[in-house]
Each structure stands twice: as C-alpha cells, then as structure tokens.
Amino acid sequence: MWERRIADGLAFLRRRVTGDYPVDDFGFDPELTEQLLARVLRPLYRSWFRVEVSGLDHVPADGAALLVANHSGTIAMDSLMLQLALLDEHPAHRHLRLLGADFIFRTPMLGEFARKSGATLACNPDAERLLSDGEIVGVFPEGFKGIGKRFTDRYKLQRFGRGGFVAAALRAKVPIVPVSIVGAEEIYPLIGDIKPLARLLGIPYFPVTPFFPWLGPLGAVPLPSKWLIECGEPIDTAALDADPDDPAAVFGLADQVRETIQQTLHRLLLRRGSTF
C-alpha cells in the first residue's frame, strides 16, 4: 500500500512539474483539488466537525443544478465543507463550482487558489456558462453579510441580494437546490469588528472572537462544532412560468428559497441538540 502511495505521489509531482494535467477555461484544476485540497480538508470534515450530510439524492448525478446555501462562520469554511461533501459522499462524486466575491479574486494567492479549486466570480455570465456546461454551481447569496454577522445573529439569514442566482437558474432552466448548513456559526464566534484595521487592510471586516486576536495563531483554530448539512427538495425552474428579467418573479423565487433554508435551519438546530 505504501509503495503504491509513493508511486502515485511521484506521478502527481511529475505531472505538476511537466504541466501534464487538465485545467478548464475558468482555471479549475480537478487533480489538484482531489489530491491536495480534499486531503487537507478531510480531517476537519470527518473528525473535527463530524459533518453529517442528508438529501444528496436531491443533487443530480449528471447535468447542472444550482445549490443555494446559507453563509456564516467569519471564515468561509462552510463552502469548503460543502464542496467536500459533494466530492466524497455524493454517489457521482461531483465537483461543486463555487461563485465567489470579487474581493477573493483580487487577493494575491487566495484568488489563484480559489480558481484552481473550481471557484469563479459571482456574476451571471459565469454562472450561466457553468450551468450550460452541466456543472453543479454553488452560491451563498448572503455574501459577506452572512459570514461577517455577529454571534448574536447566528442562524438568522441576511438578505439574499438582488436574486441574481435565480435569474441565472431560470435562464439555464436548471433546478435550484436549497442547502442548509448548521455548525459553521460556532467555529469562530464573532463578537466584534475592528473597522479601522479592516479598512487599512482592505478587507470587509477584521474579526474579533473570544480567542482571536488575543491568542495569536492559536486563536485561529476553529472550534469543533457539530455540523449538519441538508440538501432540500429541488425547485424545477424549467416547469415555472417565470421571466428571468422580471424583478418581481426573481425576488419572489429568491424569497421562497430563503424561507425554505431558514425553516430547515430551525429544524436542524433542534435535531442537533448540543453545539459540540
């Protein structure tokens, strides 16, 4: 077994050096994602957060779908855990193509990492192109308002923006799958924001938690909360008589998705019981 692992590792390094590996037009590097990123995250997923996933049968085994999830946790760990859930536990081992804020792609190293792991800019043209290519696309409409909210507002969904994700799904005629994530709210309980420092660094907020920055790097270790992820019943946009250019129709469907996620969060919190 060890001989095989060493041989696989050497083959992987040889491909990286020679450039003999596939990358799509968005910069997605599936081999790097599977061989490096996923392996780094699995101990967190399996042993630290003890993630339980349900409803993966609502995510198609082939073809496109748009996954819409709540966002939280000060650092966007929830997006990574959802990616790993689909890769490891979905029967078709599907890659989740995340839509990210432009801040991510303007940040040195972080932007390159995001591209290689399958993310792209959260804009309708990119979303529609990925969906038309048959990809599973993930969006977190709360954005920085979700991951940067105070601990006292945990599991209270923020606004879903202008509903651009709904318009993209309607144009591509792909199902919308509401995804509810419990557990991320507690990994870095946000109790404050040092706004002057955030402006100086050019970041949306500078988090203050019970342990960070007081304990330095040790304060950056996430708390081992228990995670539950549920993929809900898909909304078949192809069967809807809704115009993607009609703001009322788009906002109405976005509110429906938001309310579905909010109600599911309440149910999952009762099911989880203890935070840890």
Side-chain angles (χ1 to χ4, degrees), residues 30-45:
E31 183 184 56
L32 188 69
T33 300
E34 294 172 11
Q35 298 299 321
L36 185 60
L37 175 61
R39 290 186 178 184
V40 170
L41 293 175
R42 278 190 188 107
L44 279 175
Y45 182 94

Side-chain angles (χ1 to χ4, degrees), residues 173 235-242:
K173 299 186 183 303
I235 299 171
D236 183 7
T237 62
L240 297 178
D241 183 20

